Amino acid sequence: MGPKLNNLFIIPFMILYSTVSFAQDGKTPPAPGKAPGTPPPGLVLPIDDNVWVLIAAGLILGIYFTKKGISKTSGS
């Protein structure tokens, strides 16, 4: 795809996207206090308990992809 053909798709998409973002509902925000749909106090969400799992998974994936990239560049 050449640059002109890319612009043919990208520019209309950007125009339509900006139109949608400006066409949002103009409701006033809710009053301060308890927001609707908030969990009751004391209810622990899973991400609070299992953050260490996310960190460990990130470290493992980071080490894996780093070693994979190093092994590709060294040729072994």
Side-chain angles (χ1 to χ4, degrees):
M1 248 199 254
K4 289 185 180 182
L5 194 54
N6 274 344
N7 289 343
L8 182 67
F9 291 110
I10 293 173
I11 291 173
F13 174 74
M14 292 175 71
I15 291 170
L16 289 173
Y17 184 75
S18 64
T19 304
V20 168
S21 65
F22 283 116
Q24 297 296 318
D25 197 9
K27 293 180 184 175
T28 58
K34 185 177 180 189
T38 56
L43 181 63
V44 180
L45 299 176
I47 195 164
D48 292 337
D49 287 340
N50 299 323
V51 170
W52 66 272
V53 174
L54 294 174
I55 293 171
L59 284 171
I60 291 169
L61 281 173
I63 292 168
Y64 171 75
F65 284 117
T66 302
K67 287 189 180 250
K68 185 177 175 184
I70 290 172
S71 67
K72 273 188 178 178
T73 56
S74 66
S76 53

